[in-house]
Amino acid sequence: MEAYKKEFIEFMVDCQVLRFGDFVTKSGRRTPFFINTGFYRTGTQLKKLGEYYARAIEENFGLDFDLLFGPAYKGIPLSVATVMALSERGAEIGYCSNRKEVKDHGDAGILLGMPIKAGQKVLMIEDVTTAGTSVGETMPIIKTCGEVEVVGLVVSVDRMERGSKEKSALSEIHETYGLKTAAIVTMAEVVEHLYNRPYQGKIIIDDTIKAAIDAYYEQYGCRE
C-alpha cells in the first residue's frame, strides 16, 4: 500500500472522521464503522484533505479536465480544498457546486463557482458513496449545461458494500453512468493498515471490531 494511503487512514483517525463502534447509516444499515467527513473542520485539516484527494485524482484521472464538481453540501468544501491543492500541482482547475435552492437574484441559478460550459471535462467529487443517490441527482444538473463530458467520480473512502444489487455502489455507478470511479482508500486497505497494529499508543481495530466488520461484510459486502 502506498505511503500516502497509510497517512490518509491515520489522518482520518486523528480527525475523528473514521470511528468504530455501533452506528446506523442513512440507509438504515447497522454498521461497526462510520465515516463522517463533517469532522474535517480546520484550515489545516481541509488543506491536507485536499492534498490527499489531489494525489488520488492525479493517479487515477490525470489532470486533463476543466472543472471539479462537488454536490451540495459536503461536496462544496471538498471541491474548493481540492482545486487549491491541484493548483499547487500546476493544474488550474475550476470548482463548481450546486445549491439546494435556485437563487433568483445576484449570482442567480442553481450553480455556484465556475459556470459549466459545453465541451468541458468535469470530474465529480464526493465524501463517501453508499448507494449512489447523489450521483443520480447531480448528473442531470451537469447535463443541462450542454454537451459536457463527465470523466469520473472520486470519493475519499470506498465502503465496499452493496448498492441496490450485488455489486458495490461504485461499480453500479460505473455501469449505470459509464463513469470511472476511484477512492483515496478502500475499507479493505483501512482494515489492513489498522488491524492489530498500534497507532497513537492503542489498537484501533482489535479482534472484536475486526469480527464485527467481517460480519457486516458477510451481510452487506459486495459480491463482485
Side-chain angles (χ1 to χ4, degrees):
M1 189 191 316
E2 296 96 322
Y4 85 95
K5 290 176 177 279
K6 296 177 182 178
E7 292 172 6
F8 179 65
I9 292 167
E10 295 170 1
F11 173 63
M12 287 194 292
V13 173
D14 291 340
C15 296
Q16 300 182 45
V17 167
L18 173 63
R19 292 181 289 168
F20 298 92
D22 186 14
F23 309 95
V24 177
T25 66
K26 188 176 181 180
S27 60
R29 295 176 179 176
R30 201 171 200 95
T31 173
F33 60 90
F34 195 73
I35 302 158
N36 183 359
T37 57
F39 275 80
Y40 297 120
R41 294 172 172 172
T42 71
T44 299
Q45 289 171 347
L46 286 169
K47 183 177 185 297
K48 290 185 69 174
L49 177 62
E51 290 167 356
Y52 289 122
Y53 266 112
R55 174 73 181 270
I57 287 171
E58 187 167 15
E59 280 194 359
N60 290 280
F61 300 96
L63 300 177
D64 182 24
F65 63 99
D66 304 292
L67 191 145
L68 190 64
F69 189 97
Y73 287 105
K74 287 185 178 178
I76 298 173
L78 296 181
S79 60
V80 172
T82 304
V83 295
M84 292 174 70
L86 288 168
S87 73
E88 294 182 352
R89 292 173 172 266
E92 192 66 11
I93 307 295
Y95 97 92
C96 183
S97 296
N98 63 298
R99 297 182 173 95
K100 289 291 187 179
E101 303 83 19
V102 177
K103 187 178 178 184
D104 60 4
H105 61 282
D107 184 17
I110 198 171
L111 301 179
L112 65 154
M114 177 179 282
I116 302 175
K117 299 178 181 179
Q120 287 182 324
K121 295 181 180 180
V122 178
L123 177 65
M124 295 174 60
I125 184 171
E126 287 196 5
D127 54 353
V128 180
T129 296
T130 301
T133 304
S134 64
V135 175
E137 296 171 349
T138 302
M139 287 293 285
I141 295 173
I142 296 175
K143 291 298 186 180
T144 58
C145 297
E147 292 297 320
V148 175
E149 180 185 352
V150 182
V151 298
L153 167 69
V154 61
V155 300
S156 61
V157 182
D158 180 358
R159 287 181 59 101
M160 300 179 64
E161 58 190 82
R162 294 198 303 275
S164 59
K165 301 177 182 178
E166 292 297 304
K167 297 184 178 181
S168 73
L170 289 183
S171 294
E172 288 185 5
I173 289 170
H174 173 71
E175 283 195 353
T176 303
Y177 302 101
L179 295 182
K180 178 179 179 179
T181 60
I184 302 174
V185 294
T186 67
M187 273 308 296
E189 290 171 327
V190 170
V191 173
E192 175 190 339
H193 183 57
L194 295 179
Y195 177 48
N196 275 345
R197 178 175 294 158
Y199 177 66
Q200 301 285 34
K202 63 179 181 179
I203 301 294
I204 307 297
I205 300 180
D206 58 16
D207 290 337
T208 300
I209 294 175
K210 175 65 161 54
I213 293 172
D214 290 344
Y216 181 78
Y217 279 115
E218 184 65 30
Q219 183 174 5
Y220 295 116
C222 54
R223 305 305 183 199
E224 299 182 32

